[in-house]
Amino acid sequence: MIFNPHIETMPLDKLRRLQSERLQKLVAYVYEKIPFYKQQLDQRGIPPSSIKSIADIARLPFTTKEDLRKHYPFQMFAVPREQLARIHASSGTTGKPTVVGYTKADLKLFGEVNARSLAAAGAKPGMMLHNAYGYGLFTGGLGLHAGAETLGMSVIPVSGGMTDRQLMILQDFQPDVICCTPSYAQRLTEEVRDRQIDLDRLRLKYAVLGAEPWTEAIREDVQKGLHVQATNIYGLSEIMGPGVSQEAVEERGSGSHVWEDHFYPEVVDPHTGDPLPEGKDGVLVFTTLTKEAFPVLRYWTNDICALHYDSDSQRTHIKMSAIKGRADDMLIIRGVNLFHTQVEELIQQIPELAPHYQLIVSREGTMDALEVKVELEPEQKEEGQLKEQLSRFLRKKMKDNIGVSAEVEVVPHGAIPRSEGGKLKRIVDRRNL
Ligand code: DLL
């Protein structure tokens, strides 16, 4: 189902005109309301009146996480605090969080884009959503909650964690749709299997998974284990929260539509910042075209992916590929760049291995070294010889496909930490111990 057909199937020339109008207004707005942007534009000699169309966006400066940090907590807000309706913050693990604000109109938009996303994921009015994203400063819980209400669903606001309770609710309330992080979906999948919960007691049809990178390996695991169709939802607090882009359930694996009438995406070269053509991997950059409280120009997300238009799709909006990883999470092992999702893809090709793994990085002299710990599929026998063979096989695959030499240890089922409800850290960094 398409939630907003007028917008989601808008011909591209019309969409461009809408984006151009909105960009002109946005630049004038941030120039007037946010001293940081006035200074940035003045320094570069870019009067807002010189921005005539969306094609001019490449002339505008980037905004980085560091810029937001320097203006902590509220100096990047374009409205006085009396006009704020809500505050959220990004899930940074160290130092101060990045704080973002919403007016009433921004919250309405938050609901709209998440309603579009849920509908694209397969949800319909009248269905029940089991919302296992965290409620709180994290945008996941309240964002999907608003989307479900806007679409006309009922919401169970379970939040993350407390797995026993989640499993009870899934069986007793029989929701149609679940949303949570992919690593927590793996955890639930496994608990359902280990506790031999009858899949007929679950009525789940769809899973809407995001907030961290994941690949087809996890999709396969969760779809099989929970009898659902699983799609990818992407977003970040600095732009809005969840609902910046969404994969359509009928088009799984071909990328996620970015709701580009509100969030204009670009992919740029990580070193030069130059815009890259369709299909080329680079850093994803977003401009919020309509936000009131916390508008940003060309926000440098650090997420690596590619953009492309898909003329076979029901919707016209551009698609982004699954995120490979964040530029700051990229490992460089003896000169070879690597994201953990690349290892996950290789694990999927070996049926005896499960997509439960961890990458451990340490330092040997001046070089970084990598160890991969990966679990056996639960039905595989704990046998030394098999483990040895599988470890050699994955090591070779990593060498042949990624070009990286790593130690691989195949560990028993259950040996790798699982998600407790939120994002899971798959990389353990022992370099600075
Ligand atoms: O994670 C918002 C969200 C909530 C998205 C629920 C989807 C579902 P932050 O905590 O600000 O916001 O983290 C944003 O998480 O820059 C990416 O690095 C990563 N991320 C989010 N969604 C995906 C995804 C929320 N589908 C950061 N695939 C982003 C890969 C994702 N990475």
Side-chain angles (χ1 to χ4, degrees), residues 90-91 133 138-140 144 209-214 232-238 241-242 301 303 323 326 423:
S90 79
S91 49
Y133 281 121
F138 178 56
T139 50
L144 266 304
L209 311 180
E212 61 187 359
W214 60 298
N232 193 8
I233 183 162
Y234 167 87
L236 62 165
S237 338
E238 294 88 336
T301 66
D303 292 325
I323 302 284
R326 295 179 55 80
K423 308 189 189 212

Side-chain angles (χ1 to χ4, degrees), residues 167 188-197 199 202 226:
L167 291 166
L188 292 172
T189 300
E190 186 169 63
E191 296 284 351
V192 164
R193 187 169 44 219
D194 291 353
R195 298 177 194 210
Q196 299 181 332
I197 293 175
L199 275 173
L202 305 186
L226 294 180

